[in-house]
Amino acid sequence: MSLRFRRLVAWVAVAATGLALLAASAGRGQPSGRFAYSLELTGEISPATSSWVNKALDEAADQNATVAIIRLDTPGGLDSSLRDIVKDIGDAPMPVIVYVSPNGARAASAGAYITEAGDVAAMAPVTNIGSATPISIGPGSNDRVLGRKIRNDAAAYMRALTAAHGRNVAVGERMVRSAVNLTAGEALRAGFIDVIAPSERALLTKLDGFRVRGPKAQVLHTADLRISDHDIPLQYEILQILVNPTVAFLLLSVGLIGLAIEIFNPGVIAPGTLGLISFLLGLYGTAQLPVTAAGILLLVLAMGLFIAEGHLQSHGVLGLSGVIALILSGLLLYDTNGGFGVSVPVVIVAGTVLGGFFAFMVQRAVRARREPVRTGYEEMVGALAEVRVPLAPEGQVFTNGALWRARAVDGAGRLRTGDRVRVESVDGLTLLVRPEPHAETETEQGES
């Protein structure tokens, strides 16, 4: 009984130790006490960054953060992604401070809307904000009526955000309609932001006692808050690369070309494998972006023209048309804002190089398929041979460096030693031949 008791005590001790370690491990990921959850938001506003903000704010809520700080530095990005971020800021249970930092950072275009969506809008001293005019490069972007509708919608959105937090509505509207830009000092004097601070610690000190206006109206007590910094995780950085329109288009094009090369040259493996990986990555990035029907159709047309170039004698016209279609596809495929569009020089150069290479490979593959068979018995058909043992009707002929049993086809008559014959077909190991009266002349011309 004593032995059993000691074993039971040992097992309980082991279990308690394991639970303690698990609790300690979990505790390291869960900040205790009052703290500020600080998350990084840099680069273009895209589906990747909106997903990251959504996850980070959810995590901040789960950990009962007192406030959340979004460290913002962006040139702008997608309208749909910025609206997702604004919704996440509004849905967060804690006050969200949007802080344009560090010095040298900017909140341009979509960044201006995100800043105004914050319960507190703050900037580092050497930063700027503005240029919030929406720019579309998709089909219909030159339509004046459509452009006016887009600007009016964006202006109303900015007015709603600034008015909800008691900031300068007129300045916000000028940023949308006239692409106005302000320094941090100018924005503070105009009442477009709430505070300027050189660092996060200084920011929290200045905001102690600050009265938040808007849906989350309250008085902040932030002087003693601990700061928990969170940078963009690697998975979101990789996603940020994949959803870049230029990268997505290049991956999509390389993938389609690699797969097509594998189809025309089965067994090469490398182009097909790399093509499939590139295509899937490009497809994933493309699926996160708004695409146009015109861009998709042009991409399909380009591939069709490249394939047609290999089968038809167009003297390069179809191949050139395919290159043009591929370039236009890259320029029109994504309906994104100007600050988050494809790089025109990259698309032109890549479209020319990739399109030309693909057209060349297809042409070579089709030409190789049309050439006579060079292996097996099939290569003997049509070959010239010299009779070494008279054929009456069977004998032997010499061709391709070897003696072959041969039989004259019906009606060929007796063939004597030295006669030239042409192989008609192959029957097992016997060549079926027919006299070739002009063989001497053809041979001499070939040698000449």
Side-chain angles (χ1 to χ4, degrees):
M1 193 67 180
S2 175
L3 180 60
R4 288 182 179 180
F5 180 75
R6 286 198 297 272
R7 287 179 178 176
L8 179 60
V9 170
W11 279 113
V12 170
V14 170
T17 303
L19 290 173
L21 291 174
L22 286 174
S25 177
R28 283 195 294 270
Q30 300 286 336
S32 59
R34 300 175 69 252
F35 74 100
Y37 187 105
S38 176
L39 62 110
E40 178 188 29
L41 178 54
T42 58
E44 294 169 330
I45 303 302
S46 68
T49 50
S50 67
S51 297
W52 156 238
V53 171
N54 177 269
K55 175 183 178 297
L57 291 179
D58 284 347
E59 186 177 89
D62 292 340
Q63 296 178 3
N64 297 317
T66 306
V67 295
I69 302 174
I70 297 179
R71 309 189 307 271
L72 181 65
D73 180 12
T74 178
L78 286 178
D79 176 77
S80 57
S81 297
L82 92 84
R83 289 177 184 264
D84 288 340
I85 292 174
V86 169
K87 289 177 183 176
D88 290 332
I89 291 174
D91 292 340
M94 80 293 292
V96 177
I97 304 165
V98 179
Y99 179 38
V100 184
S101 69
N103 284 328
R106 56 178 169 166
S109 190
Y113 296 87
I114 295 173
T115 303
E116 291 307 298
D119 300 297
V120 177
M123 297 177 69
V126 189
T127 55
N128 64 284
I129 186 172
S131 296
T133 305
I135 301 174
S136 177
I137 61 173
S141 58
N142 294 323
D143 189 312
R144 291 185 179 181
V145 176
L146 178 60
R148 187 166 63 250
K149 288 182 178 180
I150 293 173
R151 284 191 297 274
N152 288 341
D153 176 70
Y157 193 44
M158 179 64 82
R159 288 199 305 270
L161 293 173
T162 51
H165 297 93
R167 303 188 190 113
N168 194 322
V169 175
V171 171
E173 184 152 7
R174 291 211 322 271
M175 282 188 178
V176 175
R177 298 193 181 278
S178 305
V180 170
N181 248 292
L182 300 176
T183 64
E186 292 168 343
L188 182 63
R189 288 192 295 272
F192 194 64
I193 62 172
D194 302 311
V195 64
I196 293 177
S199 65
E200 285 185 281
R201 175 50 57 195
L203 173 64
L204 292 177
T205 301
K206 281 192 172 186
L207 288 179
D208 192 53
F210 179 83
R211 183 175 295 277
V212 173
R213 289 174 286 185
K216 303 175 191 175
Q218 59 186 279
V219 176
L220 297 180
H221 301 285
T222 56
D224 60 342
L225 292 183
R226 182 170 53 83
I227 300 173
S228 176
D229 285 328
H230 300 268
D231 295 333
I232 299 178
L234 178 61
Q235 67 185 93
Y236 291 100
E237 290 183 348
I238 295 174
L239 180 59
Q240 179 80 325
I241 296 173
L242 295 180
V243 299
N244 182 288
T246 302
V247 175
F249 171 73
L250 291 178
L251 288 172
L252 208 59
S253 301
V254 170
L256 286 172
I257 290 172
L259 290 173
I261 291 175
E262 183 67 30
I263 291 172
F264 277 90
N265 298 272
V268 181
I269 298 176
T273 303
L274 296 177
L276 181 59
I277 294 173
S278 299
F279 179 74
L280 291 176
L281 292 175
L283 193 63
Y284 179 79
T286 299
Q288 313 301 314
L289 298 167
V291 297
T292 66
I296 295 173
L297 292 175
L298 283 169
L299 184 60
V300 174
L301 175 63
M303 297 302 158
L305 289 172
F306 292 144
I307 294 172
E309 173 65 26
H311 290 82
L312 303 175
Q313 296 297 324
S314 69
H315 304 288
V317 174
L318 292 176
L320 179 60
S321 300
V323 170
I324 295 173
L326 185 61
I327 293 172
L328 291 176
S329 170
L331 298 177
L332 299 177
L333 184 58
Y334 304 107
D335 186 13
T336 56
N337 296 331
F340 193 59
V342 295
S343 170
V344 176
V346 171
V347 168
I348 293 175
V349 172
T352 303
V353 173
L354 292 174
F357 174 73
F358 182 48
F360 171 75
M361 291 297 296
V362 169
Q363 197 173 53
R364 290 293 299 271
V366 172
R367 186 181 302 171
R369 287 187 176 187
R370 290 175 176 173
E371 289 182 354
V373 179
R374 302 287 183 190
T375 59
Y377 291 129
E378 291 84 355
E379 72 169 319
M380 303 298 296
V381 177
L384 278 174
E386 180 181 341
V387 177
R388 293 293 177 89
V389 176
L391 278 62
E394 286 195 4
Q396 287 186 336
V397 298
F398 183 83
T399 182
N400 288 349
L403 281 173
W404 289 80
R405 186 172 62 217
R407 183 170 67 247
V409 297
D410 296 340
R414 180 184 175 84
L415 296 174
R416 297 170 298 176
T417 302
D419 286 348
R420 297 289 180 134
V421 294
R422 178 83 64 179
V423 178
E424 291 279 313
S425 61
V426 180
D427 181 14
L429 297 177
T430 302
L431 305 181
L432 304 182
V433 300
R434 170 183 303 280
E436 183 69 17
H438 303 295
E440 199 69 38
T441 303
E442 291 178 4
T443 304
E444 289 174 0
Q445 288 177 349
E447 290 175 356
S448 176

